Amino acid sequence: MTNERTAALLRAIASPAAAAAVAGGWIALYVTVAVFVGDPLEIYVLAMKSDLVLRAASGGSVLVVLAYLVATTIERARASRIEAALRFPLEAGLWLLVASMCASTAVREIRWGIVGRGNPVPIPWSAVGYTVEAIDLPLREVVSESEPPSHLLAYAPHVVLRAVGGETVLVGAWPPANAHGTRFNILQFGIAPIMSISRESVVVAAGPVMQRLLPPGVEDTFDLPDLPYEFRMRLEPRPRSGPGAPLSYDLKDPTYLLEARLDGRRVFSGSTSNPVSFEGLTITFAPPVGWVWLQCVSDPTRSAVIASLLIALAGAPTYLIGLLLRHLRLRAG
Amino acid sequence: MWAAEALGVGLKEGAKLGLVSLLVVAWARHAVGDGARRVALSWFAAGLAASAAVSAASVLIPITPATRLLLPRITGYVFFLFYASAVAILGFGGGRRDASAGFAAAGRLAGPLVGISTLAFFGPAAVGSSMYLRELSRMREAALSVYAAASVGFAAAPAAVWIVARGRRLAFGRDLGAGQFLLLLALLELLVGGRKGFGSFSLLPAVQEGSITFVHNFVHMVFMVIQVPDHPLVTTSFWNSVNTLFSAHAGEVMAFGIVVAPVAAWAYGRLSAPFEAAALPPGPERRMRIAEARTRRRRETAPAAIFLAAVAGTWIFGADQISSVLHLPDIRPVVAEGGRVRIPLDAPGFHPADGRLHKFAVRLEGGDVVFMVMRRPGGGIATMLDACAMCPPEGYGVSGGHVVCIYCLTPIPAETLGEAGGCNPIPLEARMTPESIEIEVRHLAERRRLVDRGRS
């Protein structure tokens, strides 16, 4: 009797009705939250960090869909093993993607911050501590706008981290470097022009100002404490080598096109190739230093997410072939 | 032009009323028993009366960007409820579900359920149309003419339906299962559920907007998991390729797929399923029973075919309208600390490099100040008040790739954002750090006070 009840329960869990109820329930919840509350995925991600009920509901739903997927595949295999085998990878890949993404939102730990040489890199979830030993920025002397982009990454900055025990980790932009269960990568980098601002030969402010000026041509803005101006800045191209020649930029020791505004009125606009002067102020520029935005992630589900994406992508064409075979079988039979 | 628009709004609401009434009467006449029919029709009438009352009472609701945003969302939500119910019943009921049995199962709740469904179906769209007419009459300063034109349209459409249907047996109700009935209702909501006149007859834009948002957020989540670095580390061409997933055209295709796929799959499954009579020995009886079954299936799937054809037609002929939907971004609340409002650059769902318009609200001096952040195409982050320097401060939305002033619908070139003048949003001074955008509370309050005094 107990076995019969268990079998009936398993059949109910693996039934299309249960899978449809679970999927429909989540869709209804998603749409309701989207219409009346806000971004459902954002709310879900935040809630999964701490809400046990939501975690249990997500885990239960994933298991119900898995049971349905297994039962359906067995059922299909009775009619045609080839069709079942062709349709399984896409469905399994999508299931694994959803399951691993749900798990990822619950267990992922992430920290990021700006680091410079000698800075510690604190990682709360790891016993291994790191220090930034070196930063290698791709600030070549000259870059040209006509250079074709290399693969997916336009720049290749690197950071060397040294663990307390002496082990070093070379971290680039992508793929992330793995060390002791933590994956590191550089999210962003940039240059920080070093400025010295003086009034009547008295320096009123000096130091690096972090800017997003790459790729060349991009403009960024900043202001400085105790000064009423808004500054806009972008890299200044070098003089063209000839008519129609592509623009090029010196990233080692760049000059900038600077604009200063006071209450929306432009008070200065020009190149920084010479010291800039306006309204009694003088600004001089020294070669910039680099800054790096380092990301540290602990996510045991990462491999499953990547695997699921690959399985689903590979399974999409075979799924279509499986559907075609089913169509032909039904027409013939 | 405005009179024709008012007439169009009236015709739209009238046509909806006429067609739904026709459908309900046909369905109740053939698919519901006598007792249940009386209950269904009387509660349907009660729901219509309640919708009319709500529409009339809506003159008291102030017209704000928030209500403009909410009404189409509610209408879209009603479409979703009808459509999802239809798909669920079709999927598990095989297209036939005895309505009398359904009424019996619902017991005393059946009648109120019909009434509430009717109110949900007509109420929000009626309120939206009522508000739209109010705005039209104010803008044109011709309330009498606007309401007269709308009334003519509202009366003419049901009258036309009544004249056509008068004396007919409405036999098509016999082939309507509960799923098909709800599907046709969802179709009517989809086609004429929009709030405005000629501008938004279809709800497909809402589905499109939702699809784009979902894909954007999902891709963002996947990118976070596989740790894709930020622009400009990743090449512009790669980023542009990813952005095609969030384009208006991709959204159109997704919206079409989402609305069409479940119904098409059901209809295909129903039409292609093996016939029970195929097991009979070959002969005239087998052929006759198969032919009967095929005819029955075609009748049952006819509403699905109508649904698919109508959605495809809307998609093909209304493509321009779909891609030019006015999108109002959600407003995220933020808190001021230490005299500054700080927006982290990598908060969930937000990154200024995505080129989208982001809105934030901070509570200052007892009121909310809404401001916006957006990356300009040429680079740099623009920070602005969600208020125009010229028009009443109704804020901005996004349409067809442009930031648009909601009041006067002027498109603002994205590269000029952050510059004062014209109908541009009022610029805000912000301090950019690699991790966040910081705006002085004092500055925000000053700018907002200027807007309140009309001296921006």
Side-chain angles (χ1 to χ4, degrees):
Chain A
M1 192 63 184
T2 310
N3 285 344
E4 280 176 19
R5 280 185 182 172
T6 308
L9 181 66
L10 286 176
R11 272 199 302 277
I13 289 172
S15 67
V22 164
W26 281 108
I27 291 170
L29 183 64
Y30 178 90
V31 175
T32 305
V33 172
V35 170
F36 296 110
V37 184
D39 188 336
L41 283 183
E42 184 185 334
I43 292 168
Y44 179 83
V45 169
L46 292 174
M48 279 290 276
K49 291 287 175 209
S50 56
D51 193 327
L52 291 179
V53 175
L54 188 64
R55 286 186 184 188
S58 302
S61 302
V62 162
L63 289 177
V64 166
V65 176
L66 175 65
Y68 165 72
L69 182 60
V70 171
T72 305
T73 303
I74 292 170
E75 190 71 27
R76 277 189 199 140
R78 286 188 187 134
S80 165
R81 286 187 182 183
I82 294 176
E83 283 174 28
L86 287 170
R87 291 172 70 177
F88 182 70
L90 176 64
E91 292 171 342
L94 291 177
W95 175 85
L96 187 59
L97 179 64
V98 172
S100 55
M101 292 287 283
C102 287
S104 175
T105 56
V107 302
R108 185 172 59 227
E109 296 278 0
I110 185 165
R111 293 287 183 279
W112 53 68
I114 292 169
V115 293
R117 188 175 173 185
N119 287 159
V121 179
I123 301 169
W125 58 84
S126 172
V128 184
Y130 296 90
T131 307
V132 178
E133 185 171 84
I135 295 179
D136 174 26
L137 294 188
L139 299 182
R140 287 170 292 159
E141 191 171 338
V142 174
V143 293
S144 164
E145 66 172 4
S146 65
E147 286 179 35
S150 57
H151 307 296
L152 295 180
L153 296 176
Y155 302 91
H158 284 95
V159 172
V160 179
L161 302 179
R162 180 173 291 279
V164 177
E167 173 197 1
T168 58
V169 185
L170 181 66
V171 178
W174 207 85
N178 187 11
H180 301 285
T182 299
R183 292 183 180 274
F184 302 88
N185 76 319
I186 296 171
L187 273 183
Q188 179 68 280
F189 81 101
I191 56 176
I194 296 176
M195 293 182 219
S196 172
I197 302 171
S198 54
R199 189 188 295 276
E200 295 172 354
S201 302
V202 177
V203 175
V204 293
V209 178
M210 291 176 197
Q211 292 284 279
R212 291 174 185 242
L213 302 175
L214 297 172
V218 168
E219 183 182 84
D220 206 349
T221 60
F222 65 95
D223 55 18
L224 296 168
D226 303 326
L227 287 178
Y229 305 101
E230 181 203 24
F231 296 95
R232 296 181 180 191
M233 175 186 266
R234 61 192 161 95
L235 290 169
E236 182 182 32
R238 290 149 53 105
R240 290 184 192 271
S241 56
L247 290 175
S248 61
Y249 299 83
D250 181 349
L251 297 187
K252 283 278 187 197
D253 187 9
T255 57
Y256 312 94
L257 293 170
L258 183 73
E259 186 177 295
R261 286 173 174 259
L262 181 62
D263 295 331
R265 179 174 55 90
R266 190 161 60 194
V267 295
F268 173 81
S269 178
S271 169
T272 64
S273 50
N274 295 311
V276 167
S277 296
F278 60 91
E279 297 193 343
L281 284 180
T282 301
I283 308 177
T284 55
F285 287 80
V289 293
W291 56 266
V292 165
W293 192 358
L294 187 67
Q295 177 176 244
C296 317
V297 178
S298 166
D299 186 357
T301 67
R302 184 176 181 274
S303 304
V305 172
I306 293 172
S308 67
L309 284 170
L310 295 176
I311 294 169
L313 284 174
T318 66
Y319 189 87
L320 290 176
I321 296 168
L323 279 185
L324 183 66
L325 289 179
R326 175 179 178 272
H327 178 75
L328 293 175
R329 180 170 56 81
L330 290 177
R331 286 196 67 171
Chain B
M1 185 64 185
W2 56 266
E5 202 159 350
L7 183 71
V9 171
L11 274 172
K12 185 190 73 167
E13 292 301 321
K16 187 174 163 185
L17 174 65
L19 289 171
V20 171
S21 302
L22 180 71
L23 207 57
V24 168
V25 169
W27 186 63
R29 186 177 288 177
H30 296 285
V32 185
D34 284 343
R37 185 186 309 143
R38 234 183 345 267
V39 172
L41 290 179
S42 52
W43 277 98
F44 174 66
L48 287 179
S51 302
V54 168
S55 174
S58 69
V59 292
L60 301 173
I61 301 173
I63 303 174
T64 64
T67 49
R68 280 201 188 92
L69 177 66
L70 188 62
L71 277 171
R73 282 185 167 192
I74 293 176
T75 322
Y77 189 67
V78 171
F79 160 74
F80 164 75
L81 291 178
F82 278 82
Y83 176 74
S85 307
V87 168
I89 292 173
L90 288 174
F92 289 96
R96 299 294 302 176
R97 178 65 47 111
D98 184 358
S100 297
F103 264 79
R108 288 186 177 180
L109 287 177
L113 213 56
V114 171
I116 290 169
S117 303
T118 307
L119 176 60
F121 192 86
F122 286 101
V127 169
S129 292
S130 163
M131 279 187 178
Y132 182 65
L133 290 175
R134 186 153 44 115
E135 281 182 310
L136 202 60
S137 66
R138 277 185 190 165
M139 277 194 292
R140 306 298 172 190
E141 296 177 349
L144 194 63
S145 310
V146 165
Y147 284 108
S151 302
V152 168
F154 185 71
V161 172
W162 182 74
I163 289 168
V164 170
R166 190 179 48 167
R168 296 181 190 272
R169 293 188 59 241
L170 307 179
F172 65 89
R174 225 177 283 149
D175 296 312
L176 289 180
Q180 291 92 329
F181 175 65
L182 288 172
L183 189 64
L184 289 177
L185 289 179
L187 175 64
L188 284 172
E189 189 72 7
L190 180 72
L191 294 181
V192 293
R195 187 181 78 89
K196 284 191 179 180
F198 302 135
S200 61
F201 264 63
S202 166
L203 283 170
L204 277 177
V207 184
Q208 176 199 17
E209 186 189 320
S211 313
I212 293 174
T213 306
F214 176 80
V215 171
H216 176 271
N217 291 354
F218 191 78
V219 170
H220 182 76
M221 282 174 68
V222 172
F223 276 20
M224 277 192 76
V225 173
I226 59 177
Q227 293 177 243
V228 174
D230 197 1
H231 186 81
L233 274 174
V234 174
T235 57
T236 305
S237 53
F238 171 78
W239 217 244
N240 288 342
S241 308
V242 174
N243 279 340
T244 55
L245 288 173
F246 320 137
S247 66
H249 292 301
E252 282 175 37
V253 173
M254 282 185 283
F256 184 68
I258 287 169
V259 173
V260 157
V263 178
W266 172 77
Y268 171 76
R270 187 83 188 120
L271 290 172
S272 65
F275 293 104
E276 286 178 14
L280 295 175
E285 191 188 345
R286 180 177 184 265
R287 284 200 301 278
M288 191 180 71
R289 285 180 58 184
I290 287 178
E292 281 173 1
R294 184 171 286 134
T295 305
R296 194 167 56 245
R297 286 182 184 182
R298 283 176 180 161
R299 281 183 181 165
E300 285 172 11
T301 50
I306 293 169
F307 181 90
L308 296 175
V311 173
T314 307
W315 189 60
I316 292 166
F317 297 112
D320 292 343
Q321 175 207 325
I322 290 170
S323 56
S324 64
V325 54
L326 181 67
H327 166 67
L328 299 182
D330 288 340
I331 300 174
R332 295 158 187 269
V334 289
V335 180
E337 282 182 19
R340 289 189 170 201
V341 176
R342 184 177 168 277
I343 311 289
L345 288 183
D346 238 7
F350 166 70
H351 199 291
D354 63 7
R356 289 149 63 103
L357 184 69
H358 301 274
K359 288 193 180 185
F360 302 88
V362 61
R363 183 154 282 266
L364 298 177
E365 298 171 356
D368 281 342
V369 179
V370 181
F371 62 97
M372 309 185 289
V373 175
M374 185 171 173
R375 183 186 181 87
R376 286 186 291 260
I381 308 278
T383 48
M384 311 145 280
L385 271 190
D386 189 24
C388 181
M390 297 165 69
C391 306
E394 296 214 351
Y396 292 81
V398 177
S399 178
H402 295 286
V403 174
V404 175
C405 171
I406 294 170
Y407 183 80
C408 66
L409 297 178
T410 301
I412 314 293
E415 55 272 19
T416 69
L417 291 175
E419 293 176 10
C423 199
N424 274 31
I426 298 159
L428 290 172
E429 292 165 13
R431 180 182 177 80
M432 298 292 304
T433 73
E435 288 176 313
S436 64
I437 301 167
E438 293 176 1
I439 304 173
E440 296 279 350
V441 167
R442 185 171 44 86
H443 175 59
L444 259 174
E446 276 170 7
R447 288 290 163 105
R448 183 66 215 183
R449 274 198 293 273
L450 290 176
V451 173
D452 292 341
R453 291 179 202 145
R455 289 195 299 111
S456 54

